[in-house]
Amino acid sequence: MRSLRTGATSAAVRIQVSRNGRPALESRVGAKALSENFALIPELPLDQVLVGDCVAAMNALPAGSVDLVFADPPYNLQLGGDLRRPDDSLVDAVDDDWDKFSSFADYDAFTRDWLSACRRVLKPDGALWVIGSYHNIFRVGAILQDLGFWMLNDIVWRKANPMPNFRGRRFTNAHETLIWAARGENSKYTFHYEALKGGNDDLQMRSDWYLPLCTGEERLRDGAGAKVHPTQKPEALLARVMLSASNPGDVILDPFFGTGTTGAVAKALGRHFIGCEREQVYADAARARIAGITPLPPEAFATAPSKRSEPRVPFLSLVEAGLVKAGETVFDAKRRHSATIRADGTLLLGPAVGSIHKIGALAQGLPACNGWTFWHVERKGELLLLDVLRTGIRAEMAAA
Ligand SMILES: C[S@@+](CC[C@H](N)C(=O)[O-])C[C@H]1O[C@@H](n2cnc3c(N)ncnc32)[C@H](O)[C@@H]1O
């Protein structure tokens, strides 16, 4: 019997895999088998690393229990022999056993197994991210769709500092692809559109992300200066994934934990993680790394409420609350356009009467306009945006 150890923290469970491949669970305290029915696991092994095969580990977890999966699976790189630089030095390429499969069919079967296990543990509104390269991502994508996941985006991670193509026989391989998929077509997945836009100079965040490889202080090295893991991912990549597609307190599962980049970023950003990793040496490195992470203060990662989730405030409410007055003039930021506020919450511009949006569009000769962010009133000689007054009303509504 091979054992999958959990970390020595809260949920005192020990998961074992029997010779017939079926997982069994026992209490570490009582060392007595509780049940082979894994729906009975009393609590999720939060913030722990499960050492062993990820499919067995995930099958031991309760169904519908995690919010997000981030998976960085073996890429099945199919390297043919040593890779050398022009100066004949050996490239530190990924040639580990965990990345070797006997055939594409073998890789597909493995992919189907772990994706099915992920789908089972995801909540109905959960989602999954998987990163890969041209070697595997198309196979993974097809299997995802076959299993019922619903594609949301493919993200291109464009590497700021890619490894050159030493043989000069192909283009430099300068990107990796991340697939973002909801558990199913009707899943109400999490996406913080406005937070991402706010951090991107108020432009919609695009699907091509330009980020450096994991280097410098972030890269884990052993005493001799060698990389602890050949494919450690940059924390900035994981941070963007988590900030866009999860909430503080969410449970994020990583079936191929490696040196625990997912866990390190989850802890920093106030999320929970569950990691699965078959190699003890990587699991140990991950635990040590995560222990050294100090979470950011909550205000540094709390998700601002999106505009869509805020209560609707009609412009008439501002008139009724006395924040603007009937007969008062509204202006655009450069005072090129103006209109008059009417007692019923509409605006008057020449002969035209309509909403703040309609009259804003009419003034500019545009098909549409957001009147809240176009019109201002004058207070103490300064222009004050209607949206600022609306924020005040919303705060009152929230307090009430
Ligand atoms: C591409 S690496 C992940 C690296 C990780 N994202 C990081 O930043 O350190 C894939 C990892 O999956 C592990 N692995 C491969 N097959 C596995 C399996 N069946 N169950 C659990 N872990 C597995 C490997 O040992 C390897 O560490």
Side-chain angles (χ1 to χ4, degrees), residues 157 211-214 218 232-239 261 265 289:
W157 165 31
L211 295 167
L213 293 169
C214 173
E218 193 182 315
Q232 184 184 332
K233 293 296 177 291
E235 292 182 2
L237 183 75
L238 269 295
T261 310
V265 176
R289 174 185 184 183

Side-chain angles (χ1 to χ4, degrees), residues 104-116 119 128 130 136-151 179 181:
F104 286 134
D106 187 21
Y107 186 76
D108 290 353
F110 161 77
T111 303
R112 221 170 279 117
D113 281 355
W114 72 258
L115 280 174
S116 303
R119 196 153 187 277
L128 171 141
V130 53
N136 68 330
I137 201 69
F138 302 104
R139 311 191 82 80
V140 171
I143 294 168
L144 267 174
Q145 289 182 316
D146 289 348
L147 292 176
F149 284 95
W150 191 252
M151 294 280 187
I179 294 176

Side-chain angles (χ1 to χ4, degrees), residues 52-54 72 98 229 231 233 256 259 261 277-279 282:
D53 174 55
C54 64
D72 179 11
W98 54 258
H229 197 290
T231 69
K233 293 296 177 291
F256 305 102
T259 42
T261 310
E277 172 53 53
R278 68 174 222 178
E279 305 291 335
Y282 296 152

